[in-house]
Structures are given as C-alpha cells and as structure tokens.
Amino acid sequence: MTTIPTSQGSTTPQDASEQINLAQAVEQVLREVHQRAVQLGAEFILELGLTAAESSPGPLPAILGHLIENSLDAVARSPRPTNDTVPHQIIVTIEQQGDRQTLSVTDTGDGLDPRLLDAQGNLIFGRSIKPGATALGLRLVRDAIGRAGGTFHISPYPHGGVHAHATLPIVALSAAREAA
C-alpha cells in the first residue's frame, strides 16, 4: 500500500489531454476536498494498492468524490465533543482484486439514517430525515457504478459512521490510451 500526499507538490499532469492513471486521479480528488476536510477537522487515511495505481481511473474518481462529499457532510453533522482529541476520519481504500477494482470509503460521521433501509436491509434512496440530506448522492453513485458493471453496498460502521463499498471492472491504462 502507498499513501498519496495531498501536498502542493503534485505529479498530476497539468495538460488536460494527457492521460492520467488512477493514483493521479485520486490525488486530484483529494486535493479538491482537502480544504473542507481541514475546516471540519477530519483526517484522510488513504490506502491505494500499487497494482490498482497504474490502471485507468474510469468512473472511479467521480464515484470517490461523491462518497467523500457524503462522508464530509456526515462529519459536519457530527461534531466531536470538546474533550475528544481524536479527529473524525475518512478512510479510503482502493485495491485490485483480479479483474476488479474495489473502493471502500468509511467515515466516523453521524451514521446511516435508518430510514434509508427497508425491512430486508436494502438501501432506499431519497428518504433521509437528516437536515440537508437527501441521499441523492448515493443514488448517483449507485447508478454510476451500475452503468460501469459494478456493485455497491453501504452499511453502518460500528460506533457511528458509514462504510460504503464499490466493486468496478478494471479499465487498463494501455487500453484506455489506445481508445483515445
């Protein structure tokens, strides 16, 4: 595993026509949400499997962006007690398993709204009762993953928070370059 820094020194290509790999695309997504995370006192933990890092990003950066924004919203609705020195965490894991990429985003925010689950534990979208939450972001994520031939699951994380897990087919960087 490697950690991708969200510092000013970036290796992300500046030329929009240049093909970027998954690691560069993830770094770009994290830079876009970094300031909001700092304002909320949340820390990112990123685990990026080295075999997945060189693949083409495909739809994964957009999905990652939506899931991180949902996690930041949950953190914003769940302030830490003043005597709690442990920051909220958003844990992002991206790995390759055979011909699939797996993406997990776990947060220590305010948890999964029970009204989003039916009696069988399946996710119902658009029924959250939390202020400012519509679960529309989750519907967009689910639909994008489905269009890409993947699967999406979401579940409560112990002691509050949410764990979202997506599996997507791998798009090889060389194949993406040939198609471009």
Side-chain angles (χ1 to χ4, degrees):
M1 296 286 173
T2 186
T3 299
I4 306 296
T6 55
S7 63
Q8 300 298 331
S10 171
T11 60
T12 303
Q14 300 302 311
D15 180 359
S17 65
E18 188 177 340
Q19 185 74 28
I20 64 172
N21 66 28
L22 179 60
Q24 293 163 329
V26 167
E27 181 181 1
Q28 191 172 4
V29 168
L30 292 178
R31 259 191 275 109
E32 291 171 5
V33 298
H34 179 73
Q35 185 59 37
R36 183 167 178 223
V38 168
Q39 290 171 344
L40 293 171
E43 80 178 356
F44 282 111
I45 299 171
L46 174 64
E47 299 174 344
L48 179 61
L50 293 176
T51 54
E54 288 302 315
S55 62
S56 174
L60 198 134
I63 291 165
L64 176 62
H66 279 291
L67 291 175
I68 288 175
E69 286 294 337
N70 284 347
S71 290
L72 288 171
D73 290 345
V75 165
R77 291 188 303 262
S78 181
R80 296 302 244 190
T82 55
N83 61 347
D84 190 349
T85 59
V86 178
H88 276 293
Q89 293 181 333
I90 299 171
I91 304 162
V92 176
T93 305
I94 303 170
E95 297 178 302
Q96 179 176 331
Q97 295 179 345
D99 64 346
R100 317 278 293 164
Q101 288 174 335
T102 62
L103 165 66
S104 295
V105 177
T106 305
D107 68 64
T108 58
D110 65 348
L112 185 60
D113 187 338
R115 290 185 140 202
L116 291 177
L117 302 174
D118 65 16
Q120 291 76 36
N122 298 317
L123 208 49
I124 302 169
F125 294 90
R127 291 184 32 186
S128 179
I129 59 171
K130 293 180 180 174
T134 63
L136 183 58
L138 293 176
R139 173 176 269 158
L140 295 172
V141 166
R142 180 194 64 185
D143 293 349
I145 292 168
R147 282 190 304 276
T151 60
F152 179 62
H153 303 283
I154 190 165
S155 58
Y157 187 66
H159 310 291
V162 171
H163 176 75
H165 182 81
T167 303
L168 296 156
I170 289 179
V171 180
L173 186 57
S174 60
R177 283 185 180 145
E178 290 171 11

